[in-house]
């Protein structure tokens, strides 16, 4: 038995009904104390964190390096070449906003990749790049602290070294680095965490606010509807904002106030630094994976980057009338997709939380063909169906421990657009893995090593 499965079995063997009840009561208390909820749903509903061996974690980091380099080359090419930019399918107002230099590089100093990882075979598949507003670094750290305090973890740590993979400090460092580059020198900024008050992730803003304060930085949580741009500054609650840690989507700012929204105007005028800035929209588009994967763009990348794309990115194309290649054979894209729905998934170019996604193998032929017609009129990608990994996780049901298989993803945080450090894990009983999906749960990830 390999190291990972042995550790999982050892953990489950320690989790009798009594210690499970104690651990459940404690984690429920920690969830309440720290506001670890998505809306009114607890973030975590299982009694084991995600375990990673050091070998698997290092593999993940090494494998993603050349892929991140390829994303950067695609981004640079898009800024220089209108034909490449057109492949990202930006809206006209987005094309206007990407002309605004954010004052730092890269355009997405904070981001997250959504992947599916099979540790035993070291197969890694990248399905989305959240290059605009990656959530959950503070949730990750708070959940890690909660798990480390559980009675079951105390028993487990007598046999295993357990190391968390913190993320909050990375977030603080990258936004402050971007601010220093934007300002040309460093002073302690007033940080505004920007998003709507009613979003279900508001409790994470509170965690970040407390963390920034603990590190000596002034911080407020601001609603975009309550900011004011006047006298050359952006204000919230009569305090001038220096640095926006942006959690609201740029598209939502535009929908609320157009190009005249105070935040958009202030960033355009250079009155405030915003992380991530407008240019992150290029890589945030789901079409970014199609730009990487399309054979027509192979000239943009090195041999090492092409090898990474071929290994890590499922076959992905923009949905449009065209001829292309699939598994080395020429195809007429739309008729091919009509005939092979069970092998593909349709995704809107700019949405989140699983909205608008159509899984061909779960849809009727009529629903699939209607989705293709919509996709020809609205920016959309199609992606090859991939296998989803499962792992056993325990939960307390009726006072007894139940262990069941859950689908899981692997979502490493990316910093400065260059490297992965820390990792979010989400569980589900539904193929659409996000916190709102069936059986959804968010987990911290720990590196584990058996004690000598």
């Amino acid at each position: 038995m390999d190291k990972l499965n042995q550790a999982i079995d050892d953990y489950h063997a320690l989790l009798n009904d009594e210690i499970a009840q104690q651990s459940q009561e404690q984690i429920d208390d920690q969830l309440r104390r720290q506001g670890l909820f998505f809306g009114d749903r607890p973030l975590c509903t299982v009694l084991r964190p995600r375990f990673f061996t050091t070998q698997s974690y290092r593999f993940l980091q090494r494998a993603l390096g050349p892929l991140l380099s390829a994303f950067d080359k695609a981004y640079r090419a898009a800024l220089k070449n209108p034909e490449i930019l057109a492949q990202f399918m930006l809206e006209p107002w987005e094309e206007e906003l990407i002309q605004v230099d954010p004052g730092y590089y890269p355009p997405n100093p904070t981001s997250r990749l959504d992947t599916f990882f099979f540790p035993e075979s070291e197969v890694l598949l990248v399905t989305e790049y959240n290059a605009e507003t990656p959530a959950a670094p503070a949730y990750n750290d708070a959940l890690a602290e909660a798990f480390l305090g559980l009675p079951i973890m105390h028993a487990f740590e007598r046999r295993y070294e357990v190391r968390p993979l913190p993320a909050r400090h990375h977030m603080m460092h990258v936004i402050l680095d971007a601010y220093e580059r934007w300002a040309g020198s460093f002073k302690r900024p007033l940080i505004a965490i920007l998003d709507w008050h009613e979003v279900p992730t508001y409790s994470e803003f509170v965690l970040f606010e407390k963390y920034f304060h603990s590190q000596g930085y002034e911080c407020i949580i601001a609603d975009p509807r309550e900011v004011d741009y006047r006298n050359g500054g952006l204000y919230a609650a009569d305090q001038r904002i220096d640095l926006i840690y942006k959690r609201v989507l740029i598209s939502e700012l535009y929908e609320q106030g157009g190009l005249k929204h105070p935040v958009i105007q202030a960033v355009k005028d250079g009155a405030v630094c915003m992380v991530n800035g407008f240019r992150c929209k290029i890589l945030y588009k789901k079409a970014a994976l199609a730009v990487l994967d399309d054979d027509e763009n192979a000239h943009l990348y090195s041999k090492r980057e092409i090898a990474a794309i071929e290994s890590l990115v499922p076959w992905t194309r923009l949905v449009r009338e065209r001829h292309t290649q699939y598994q080395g054979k020429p195809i007429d894209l739309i008729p091919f997709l009509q005939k092979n729905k069970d092998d593909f998934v349709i995704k809107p170019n700019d949405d989140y939380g699983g909205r608008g996604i159509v899984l061909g193998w779960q849809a009727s032929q009529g629903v699939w063909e209607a989705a293709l017609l919509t996709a020809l009129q609205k920016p959309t990608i199609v992606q090859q169906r991939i296998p989803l990994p499962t792992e056993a996780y325990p939960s307390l049901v009726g006072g007894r421990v139940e262990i069941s298989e859950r689908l899981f993803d692997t979502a490493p945080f990316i910093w400065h657009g260059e490297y992965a450090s820390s990792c979010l894990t989400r569980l589900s009983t539904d193929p659409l893995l996000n916190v709102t999906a069936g059986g959804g749960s968010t987990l911290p990830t720990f590196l584990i090593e058996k004690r000598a």
Side-chain angles (χ1 to χ4, degrees):
M1 182 181 295
D2 64 34
K3 293 180 180 179
L4 177 60
N5 287 327
Q6 182 65 64
I8 291 171
D9 286 350
D10 288 346
Y11 187 96
H12 291 169
L14 292 168
L15 197 64
N16 58 44
D17 292 344
E18 181 181 0
I19 198 170
Q21 184 68 49
Q22 295 170 2
S23 296
Q24 186 67 61
E25 290 172 358
Q26 185 162 325
I27 200 166
D28 287 346
D29 178 66
Q30 286 299 304
L31 293 176
R32 288 191 296 269
R33 286 174 181 270
Q34 301 200 60
L36 301 179
F37 288 80
F38 184 85
D40 59 358
R41 290 179 52 185
L43 279 180
C44 185
T45 59
V46 296
L47 284 173
R48 180 171 70 78
R50 169 82 177 279
F51 292 150
F52 243 131
T53 64
T54 301
Q55 178 182 347
S56 290
Y57 185 56
R58 298 303 180 213
F59 168 82
L60 181 78
Q61 292 178 309
R62 288 194 303 269
L64 292 176
L67 187 71
L68 295 171
S69 175
F71 273 118
D72 183 63
K73 285 186 177 179
Y75 165 79
R76 290 176 182 270
L79 287 184
K80 294 179 180 178
N81 186 333
E83 292 183 2
I84 300 295
L85 180 62
Q87 294 182 43
F88 289 88
M89 298 189 293
L90 270 64
E91 300 292 336
W93 65 267
E94 293 173 319
E95 292 194 10
E96 180 174 343
L97 287 182
I98 66 169
Q99 303 306 312
V100 179
D101 187 339
Y104 50 81
Y105 194 88
N108 56 320
T110 168
S111 56
R112 192 189 72 225
L113 284 168
D114 292 349
T115 82
F116 294 93
F117 183 42
F118 296 80
E120 293 180 1
S121 58
E122 293 191 334
V123 170
L124 177 65
L125 298 168
V126 177
T127 56
E128 292 189 15
Y129 191 19
N130 187 337
E132 183 175 350
T133 56
Y139 279 154
N140 175 83
D141 291 9
L143 284 169
E145 291 173 0
F147 267 98
L148 284 172
L150 297 184
I152 176 61
M153 191 61 75
H154 171 68
F156 184 70
E157 283 197 282
R158 297 180 70 177
R159 301 185 186 185
Y160 286 85
E161 182 75 24
V162 178
R163 297 194 300 276
L165 297 170
R168 276 180 307 193
H169 68 289
H170 287 297
M171 181 63 73
M172 182 182 71
H173 290 319
V174 297
I175 67 173
L176 291 175
D177 178 77
Y179 175 72
E180 182 175 3
R181 293 173 184 272
W182 173 86
S185 60
F186 184 75
K187 65 172 184 175
R188 285 185 173 262
L190 187 148
I191 304 169
I193 303 169
L194 190 71
D195 206 347
W196 318 110
H197 287 319
E198 65 270 19
V199 295
T201 52
Y202 188 87
S203 57
E204 189 183 23
F205 309 156
V206 176
L207 292 174
F208 264 119
E209 181 186 35
K210 291 178 180 177
Y211 179 71
F212 291 149
H213 283 158
S214 76
Q215 299 299 307
Y217 292 91
E218 291 185 75
C219 179
I220 59 174
I221 302 172
D223 188 301
R225 293 165 294 205
E226 298 172 359
V227 299
D228 181 27
Y229 182 38
R230 65 179 188 272
N231 302 324
L234 187 70
Y235 290 83
D238 289 326
Q239 298 183 81
R240 180 164 178 164
I241 300 167
D242 302 304
L243 170 60
I244 297 173
Y245 168 27
K246 184 182 70 62
R247 292 292 295 266
V248 65
L249 291 171
I250 295 168
S251 58
E252 293 177 347
L253 289 177
Y254 178 78
E255 289 166 4
Q256 202 240 352
L259 295 177
K260 295 187 180 298
H261 192 285
V263 173
I264 292 177
Q265 286 187 311
V267 174
K268 286 178 67 175
D269 292 348
V272 68
C273 177
M274 184 172 75
V275 184
N276 292 337
F278 300 132
R279 288 182 177 175
C280 72
K281 290 293 290 186
I282 297 175
L283 292 177
Y284 174 69
K285 297 290 186 179
K286 291 184 175 64
L289 286 171
V291 175
L292 257 62
D293 188 49
D294 199 317
D295 296 338
E296 295 178 359
N297 298 323
H299 64 282
L300 297 175
Y301 316 115
S302 70
K303 290 182 179 179
R304 182 167 176 258
E305 291 159 352
I306 290 173
I309 293 167
E310 291 176 346
S311 172
L312 304 179
V313 179
W315 183 91
T316 307
R317 293 292 186 272
L318 305 176
V319 178
R320 59 187 180 182
E321 298 280 3
R322 62 168 293 188
H323 290 84
T324 186
Q325 296 278 325
Y326 179 73
Q327 295 183 347
K329 298 179 181 180
I331 61 168
D332 188 353
L333 183 59
I334 301 303
F336 177 79
L337 295 177
Q338 289 173 334
K339 295 177 182 178
N340 296 278
K341 71 177 183 67
D342 289 353
D343 296 327
F344 298 98
V345 54
I346 287 173
K347 298 180 179 181
N349 193 35
D350 194 341
D351 217 328
Y352 65 98
R355 296 188 303 193
I357 291 178
V358 179
L359 306 178
W361 57 97
Q362 291 187 349
S364 68
Q365 187 66 31
V367 168
W368 179 251
E369 292 188 6
L372 284 174
L373 286 175
T374 300
L376 287 169
Q377 302 166 19
K378 184 178 180 181
T380 305
I381 67 165
V382 61
Q383 197 168 69
Q384 184 180 19
R385 179 182 183 178
I386 63 170
L388 303 181
T390 63
E391 201 169 78
Y393 281 88
S395 57
L396 193 68
V397 180
R400 303 293 299 274
V401 175
E402 289 190 4
I403 297 175
S404 58
E405 292 290 316
R406 305 284 188 103
L407 298 166
F408 70 95
D409 73 355
T410 300
F413 294 105
I414 308 299
W415 310 107
H416 301 292
E418 296 176 352
Y419 60 88
S421 187
S422 190
C423 180
L424 178 70
T425 296
R426 291 170 296 189
L427 305 182
S428 180
T429 56
D430 188 286
L432 285 178
L433 271 98
N434 57 66
V435 76
T436 63
S441 193
T442 301
L443 294 180
T445 304
F446 291 132
L447 295 183
I448 52 99
E449 189 73 33
K450 194 165 188 178
R451 297 193 186 278

